[in-house]
């Protein structure tokens, strides 16, 4: 089984590498699904972690529809991720009807031209027709897909994820994410899914007043409980 840790910290990236994770999805603002992290954090994670760093390219919260100015911002963030040494970038653009947008192609072409792998992220889980959507994503040439199988929790979308893996797993890496835990992780392996994505964060302090949030640290116990499960195969 391959593992990807979704983290917003240098600590998380280092720990993922120490535990043998294949990759890290590096984000900021995980409370809103993840936004683009800053250059300094990307560079530190690349230099300090043994896991491949894939950078979220999403500069604002909300939906996945963008305009020309957004595209320019995303292109600059992709270029910055490359300069910082990242191995890949993570993005996904939808049309107003939540179908997969042709706008993805320009970003994908830029990423591949820079030698970066490209992941279509969980914008996929909002599409009205996943079979048409995956054909388009594969046709564009995305390297990876992160999905919960169109459900709030991936455990409830295993049938969809497994279908995508079976039909397209030879053309892109299919990664299951959202709600992965020690209680359900083996269900994915049993369905032929061999790449799991999850967060592992716990608070180490009370919420700071005036809306400044709380500091989170990496949850070693959750990581250990998941990666030590008796999976059918280890990659």
């Amino acid at each position: 089984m391959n593992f990807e840790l979704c983290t917003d910290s240098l600590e998380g990236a280092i720990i993922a590498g120490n535990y043998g994770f294949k990759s890290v999805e590096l984000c900021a603002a995980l409370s809103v699904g993840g936004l683009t992290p800053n250059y300094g954090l990307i560079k530190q994670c690349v230099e300090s972690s043994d896991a491949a760093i894939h950078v979220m390219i999403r500069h604002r919260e909300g939906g996945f529809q963008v305009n020309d100015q957004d595209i320019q911002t995303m292109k600059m963030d992709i270029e910055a991720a490359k300069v910082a040494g990242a191995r890949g970038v993570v993005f996904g653009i939808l049309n107003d009807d939540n179908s997969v947008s042709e706008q993805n192609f320009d970003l994908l072409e830029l990423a591949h031209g820079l030698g970066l792998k490209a992941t279509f992220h969980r914008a996929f889980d909002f599409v009205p027709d996943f079979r048409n959507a995956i054909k388009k994503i594969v046709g564009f040439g995305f390297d990876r897909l992160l999905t919960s199988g169109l459900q709030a929790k991936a455990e409830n979308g295993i049938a969809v994820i497994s279908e995508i893996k079976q039909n397209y797993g030879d053309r892109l890496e299919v990664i299951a994410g959202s709600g992965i835990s020690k209680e359900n992780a083996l269900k994915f392996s049993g369905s032929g899914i061999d790449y799991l994505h999850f967060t592992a964060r716990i608070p180490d302090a009370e919420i700071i007043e005036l809306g400044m949030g709380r500091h989170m640290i990496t949850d070693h116990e959750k990581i250990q409980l998941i990666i030590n499960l008796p999976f059918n195969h280890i990659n």
Side-chain angles (χ1 to χ4, degrees):
M1 182 63 70
N2 295 304
F3 300 103
E4 175 170 273
L5 187 68
C6 180
T7 185
D8 60 357
S9 72
L10 174 60
E11 177 208 29
I14 293 172
I15 289 170
N18 291 344
Y19 278 114
F21 278 53
K22 184 175 182 179
S23 57
V24 163
E25 181 186 87
L26 186 63
C27 304
L30 289 176
S31 62
V32 294
L35 299 179
T36 306
N38 65 66
Y39 176 87
L41 179 60
I42 301 170
K43 188 168 181 61
Q44 278 193 302
C45 290
V46 167
E47 293 176 350
S48 303
S49 177
D50 291 330
I53 305 299
H54 295 256
V55 176
M56 175 64 73
I57 305 296
R58 180 178 178 235
H59 59 284
R60 59 172 174 78
E61 62 183 274
F64 302 101
Q65 292 75 29
V66 302
N67 57 33
D68 290 344
Q69 291 174 324
D70 292 322
I71 290 289
Q72 292 308 309
T73 299
M74 296 172 81
K75 285 182 175 180
M76 287 187 280
D77 284 338
I78 290 171
E79 291 169 346
K82 172 62 178 180
V83 172
R87 295 275 293 279
V89 287
V90 182
F91 59 87
I93 303 172
L94 302 179
N95 296 313
D96 289 341
D97 64 357
N98 281 345
S99 60
V100 175
S101 173
E102 298 287 335
Q103 293 168 298
N104 288 285
F105 186 74
D106 284 346
L107 298 183
L108 184 63
E109 191 173 47
L110 173 62
H112 282 169
L114 293 171
L116 296 169
K117 288 190 174 183
T119 304
F120 196 96
H121 61 40
R122 288 194 58 215
F124 182 82
D125 296 317
F126 294 80
V127 301
D129 184 334
F130 79 89
R131 293 186 177 92
N132 283 337
I134 189 59
K135 287 179 183 177
K136 200 165 189 178
I137 288 167
V138 170
F140 280 157
F142 275 89
D143 305 286
R144 311 192 321 156
L145 170 71
L146 173 64
T147 178
S148 61
L150 282 66
Q151 302 296 318
K153 300 298 182 184
E155 181 177 7
N156 297 322
I158 286 179
V160 169
I161 304 169
S162 181
E163 178 181 327
I164 294 171
K165 171 69 175 175
Q166 182 176 356
N167 292 334
Y168 297 99
D170 60 337
R171 299 180 66 181
L172 84 171
E173 290 182 304
V174 179
I175 308 168
S178 185
I180 306 298
S181 68
K182 64 181 178 62
E183 288 79 16
N184 60 33
L186 287 176
K187 296 179 182 180
F188 296 90
S189 179
S191 299
I193 299 162
D194 60 3
Y195 211 145
L196 299 180
H197 163 112
F198 59 90
T199 58
R201 303 163 73 236
I202 52 175
D204 77 335
E206 296 298 319
I207 296 175
I208 297 176
E209 295 181 359
L210 303 180
M212 296 299 168
R214 80 171 31 170
H215 185 242
M216 307 291 285
I217 59 173
T218 304
D219 186 348
H220 285 261
E221 182 180 8
K222 178 179 179 178
I223 291 173
Q224 291 170 349
L225 287 172
I226 291 175
I227 68 175
N228 290 329
L229 289 168
F231 291 103
N232 292 337
H233 49 276
I234 302 294
N235 292 326

